[in-house]
Amino acid sequence: MLIRGKALKYGDHVDTDVIIPGVYLSITDPRELAKHCMEGVDPDFPKKVKKGDILVAGINFGCGSSREHAPIALKECGVGAVVAKSFAAIFYRNAINIGFPLVECSDAVDEIDENDEIEIDMELGELKNITKGKRYKITPLPESIKNILDLGGLIEYVKSVKGSE
Amino acid sequence: MGRSITEKILAAHSEQGDFKPGDIIDVTVDVLLMNDITGPVAVEVFNKMGDGEVFDKDKIAIVLDHFTPNKDVTSAKLCKTMRDFAAAKGIKHFYDAGYGIEHVVLPEDGIVKPGDLIIGGDSHTVTYGALGAFSTGMGSTDVAGVMALGKTWLKVPEQIKVLLVGLPNKWVSGKDVILYVISLLGTDGALGKSLEFDGPGAKHLDMDSRFSICNMAVECGAINGIFNFDDVTKEYTESLGLKDFCEYRSDSDAIYKKVIDVDLSELEPIVAMPHLPSRGLPVSEVNDIEIDQSFIGSCTNGRITDLRITSEIVKGKKIHPRVRGLIAPGSRKVFAQALKEGLIEIFTESGFTILPPGCGPCFGGHMGILAKGERCVSTTNRNFIGRMGDKGSEVYLANPAVAAASAITGKLTHPSEVI
């Protein structure tokens, strides 16, 4: 999977309440959720994000509630991947389950500036900052989790388990 | 090599017995929880997963508590989705709107027990660790997976131990212990780790305090918070008449990545300043901050002990004219008990509004929403930007005694100042 886009940079502890505020949780339509994505820190976010753009953030991205609405809203907005120094545990699982790529890479985060052109090759395990001319290795996913992703997410995984029972 | 209580419970629920931190293991699930926010999304995903058979209709709990009583047509639809699903699948533990908050109800009704492995579609599922159980929150797709298979994968966490010593002062409760620990660790200090509370001080923390502590373990990134089974747990299980559960305690030679010492006798009530739960300061250092609203309730502090402490503070006093005082008992049972003890009368005479049991105000869902520039002292668990309303509003997290005292004076206040 090759993801390419401009970097949109935010800070540490971007929580699920700012990604999608609680008042919108009665919405289940991803397109409606996307309209309020990142409203807590950047109300213009849905307008400025272009398909494939990379959200870049610091530590503990996605901390807070278990709401899957958060990665759903980001994905539906067109965000290609999130590159952060670390991710909260529940957010990380939620993203994998819906096939939304996350990349943990502290060095890259430190050296990426807003609007840098970024390319991520998930197969090669490499992140390129095209603007700065720099390359970074991405830590590969554990085998059993990669298996879920390779099958296309948890829905297909469960189907395969049920089928083999 | 010894094992911690968390490792023992994981081992009892996994075929991969010989694991170490960082390993990914499959575990079986004793109880699966959903609510009216994460549930409808999980049901939609579940319906795409195949034959429509749930793993065990007696091991699934559905609690409608977030946007209830229904705040609008959309939320009414979400609740109806869950009501219909529960009826169609014959879900045994279905709690309709108004019954209470999931994390208050499940222990209270004996659905979750010591030694269980519990997965919930809500981050505060960590609450049940107070019982000596392993419980953690997940998102809707994971919940759907558990609903279909009765199992899930977990990354075995490293362990952090919080060693409690000393006797807490009068107005210090579990909330202050966890706000203090989070202030030491930071909101990612226990990321993906297990947070175990142990030591001679633990016996001074009653079950309601332990629920508050484990409830907020997720606010420093922990995958679970947990207490060892002890006399306090035993007394609690006896009071509920619980049977068929497992008592686990950590071995003395279990391995911990880190040990944090907390002397309960040195703590004073803590207030977590906006906009992170880790910004905890002793209330005496911040007592000039004026507030517009005081909210007492939630899965963190909506239990009977919390309401008793509140009544002790506000009895015979009026709340400050500028302050809206809101109290939401955590469940119908808590409400009934408070009514029986005369607490509700004390609250209404003081000028508090009693809200129905539910999560509404805590996550800015409905009821008690804040306008720009407003400040709320709240017994809830998160104070992120916009958590309870406008993104220009502020939430100060505190224990019920501080929230009650602050409602009386109109500013953040140490409880001893109003007694």
Side-chain angles (χ1 to χ4, degrees):
Chain A
M1 193 196 302
L2 199 67
I3 306 149
R4 185 169 173 154
K6 283 203 187 328
L8 298 163
K9 202 168 177 184
Y10 297 88
D12 292 336
H13 310 293
V14 173
D15 62 78
T16 55
D17 274 286
V18 299
I19 298 172
I20 186 78
V23 72
Y24 302 121
L25 295 180
S26 58
I27 302 171
T28 49
D29 180 356
R31 283 165 299 181
E32 287 299 312
L33 284 171
K35 288 180 189 165
H36 304 288
C37 188
M38 298 290 278
E39 196 169 291
V41 279
D42 187 359
D44 293 331
F45 184 83
K47 279 181 225 152
K48 71 180 183 200
V49 61
K50 301 269 182 307
K51 196 167 169 52
D53 279 355
I54 316 285
L55 200 158
V56 180
I59 56 169
N60 206 19
F61 186 89
C63 61
S65 109
S66 68
R67 59 188 75 163
E68 206 158 298
H69 311 63
I72 290 171
L74 288 166
K75 190 182 177 194
E76 187 66 23
C77 258
V79 176
V82 181
V83 179
K85 291 187 179 178
S86 62
F87 292 94
I90 305 176
F91 183 89
Y92 188 83
R93 294 181 72 115
N94 286 346
I96 287 174
N97 287 339
I98 64 163
F100 181 56
L102 303 181
V103 173
E104 211 173 275
C105 191
S106 289
D107 294 347
V109 169
D110 282 335
E111 291 168 10
I112 292 172
D113 287 311
E114 179 90 4
N115 288 325
D116 279 1
E117 191 74 17
I118 307 295
E119 189 177 275
I120 301 166
D121 188 327
M122 296 299 279
E123 262 77 65
L124 265 180
E126 191 181 67
L127 183 151
K128 272 192 270 187
N129 184 335
I130 295 165
T131 309
K132 301 258 179 3
K134 289 208 162 188
R135 288 162 188 262
Y136 308 86
K137 272 260 159 279
I138 301 170
T139 320
L141 288 170
E143 205 52 43
S144 55
I145 296 174
K146 200 172 161 292
N147 185 30
I148 296 173
L149 262 188
D150 288 347
L151 284 164
L154 199 72
I155 293 177
E156 293 308 316
Y157 173 79
V158 170
K159 276 188 189 167
S160 79
V161 173
K162 280 223 163 194
S164 65
E165 270 173 4
Chain B
M1 191 176 64
R3 280 191 151 168
S4 72
I5 174 169
T6 290
E7 290 168 329
K8 287 182 185 184
I9 298 174
L10 293 181
H13 289 81
S14 176
E15 285 172 11
Q16 298 136 277
D18 186 28
F19 54 71
K20 58 184 185 310
D23 287 353
I24 288 175
I25 58 169
D26 288 318
V27 290
T28 53
V29 175
D30 295 312
V31 180
L32 174 70
L33 163 73
M34 283 180 280
N35 59 45
D36 52 313
I37 286 184
T38 57
V41 181
V43 165
E44 201 183 322
V45 173
F46 173 77
N47 287 335
K48 292 177 189 161
M49 280 175 169
D51 59 15
E53 293 291 320
V54 298
F55 80 105
D56 189 336
K57 62 185 171 53
D58 297 341
K59 292 183 174 180
I60 297 172
I62 297 175
V63 188
L64 309 185
D65 56 1
H66 274 65
F67 282 121
T68 55
N70 307 338
K71 79 156 183 158
D72 55 18
V73 175
T74 327
S75 56
K77 216 174 109 191
L78 296 181
C79 286
K80 189 167 185 308
T81 300
M82 295 317 290
R83 203 173 287 123
D84 292 349
F85 181 79
K89 304 294 176 197
I91 302 299
K92 188 175 171 191
H93 307 297
F94 174 72
Y95 298 99
D96 213 322
Y99 193 87
I101 300 171
E102 47 198 353
H103 309 311
V104 177
V105 168
L106 261 53
E108 201 173 63
D109 279 35
I111 310 299
V112 289
K113 294 188 279 198
D116 278 355
L117 191 147
I118 305 131
I119 300 296
D122 188 277
S123 59
H124 293 113
T125 304
V126 285
T127 308
Y128 319 130
L131 298 167
F134 177 91
S135 63
T136 195
M138 289 185 185
S140 298
T141 299
D142 270 322
V143 164
V146 175
M147 197 152 38
L149 302 175
K151 40 184 202 178
T152 190
W153 64 268
L154 290 171
K155 188 172 175 183
V156 177
E158 287 180 323
Q159 320 282 311
I160 296 179
K161 182 185 271 197
V162 179
L163 194 67
L164 306 164
V165 296
L167 180 71
N169 293 311
K170 166 79 181 159
W171 301 111
V172 171
S173 65
K175 182 63 162 286
D176 306 298
V177 176
I178 190 65
L179 286 177
Y180 178 67
V181 169
I182 297 167
S183 78
L184 295 178
L185 284 170
T187 51
D188 67 335
L191 199 62
K193 295 185 171 60
S194 173
L195 202 56
E196 178 182 325
F197 297 85
D198 197 17
K203 64 175 178 287
H204 303 302
L205 297 168
D206 62 19
M207 201 44 83
D208 283 359
S209 262
R210 294 180 182 194
F211 284 128
S212 303
I213 290 173
C214 291
N215 173 275
M216 288 191 70
V218 68
E219 311 310 338
C220 52
I223 185 169
N224 73 319
I226 198 163
F227 275 81
N228 287 283
F229 192 99
D230 66 1
D231 289 343
V232 175
T233 335
K234 189 165 183 283
E235 199 183 310
Y236 182 82
T237 57
E238 284 169 357
S239 73
L240 287 176
L242 289 186
K243 291 189 183 72
D244 303 325
F245 56 82
C246 296
E247 303 176 16
Y248 290 102
R249 287 170 207 88
S250 294
D251 295 331
S252 56
D253 56 346
I255 309 285
Y256 296 89
K257 180 91 178 163
K258 191 185 214 176
V259 178
I260 299 167
D261 295 303
V262 175
D263 185 344
L264 298 171
S265 68
E266 287 180 1
L267 289 186
E268 78 158 277
I270 310 265
V271 175
M273 310 295 280
H275 294 285
L276 284 175
S278 58
R279 298 196 61 217
L281 293 171
V283 62
S284 56
E285 289 179 21
V286 292
N287 57 7
D288 54 345
I289 294 172
E290 292 190 349
I291 55 146
D292 305 283
Q293 181 170 292
S294 170
F295 174 63
I296 295 160
S298 85
C299 60
T300 316
N301 283 115
R303 296 181 181 81
I304 193 65
T305 314
D306 302 311
L307 299 193
R308 286 180 187 141
I309 292 168
T310 304
S311 75
E312 213 179 310
I313 304 266
V314 304
K315 190 176 185 176
K317 302 183 189 77
K318 297 284 181 203
I319 63 177
H320 191 278
R322 193 190 50 247
V323 177
R324 289 103 60 186
L326 305 174
I327 296 176
S331 71
R332 193 174 290 149
K333 282 186 183 169
V334 171
F335 183 87
Q337 184 61 31
L339 201 58
K340 202 167 133 190
E341 294 179 19
L343 310 184
I344 301 297
E345 195 179 342
I346 291 169
F347 299 151
T348 49
E349 277 179 6
S350 298
F352 279 94
T353 302
I354 311 298
L355 303 179
C359 317
C362 170
F363 74 107
H366 66 152
M367 297 187 290
I369 306 287
L370 302 173
K372 188 176 181 182
E374 287 191 325
R375 297 194 187 110
C376 178
V377 59
S378 180
T379 67
T380 53
N381 41 54
R382 290 190 179 127
N383 55 355
F384 298 144
I385 294 168
R387 173 73 178 177
M388 291 181 78
D390 190 275
K391 61 183 164 60
S393 61
E394 293 179 346
V395 179
Y396 295 78
L397 304 176
N399 75 25
V402 171
S406 306
I408 302 296
T409 62
K411 57 194 180 80
L412 294 178
T413 300
H414 193 295
S416 64
E417 283 181 41
V418 297
I419 286 293

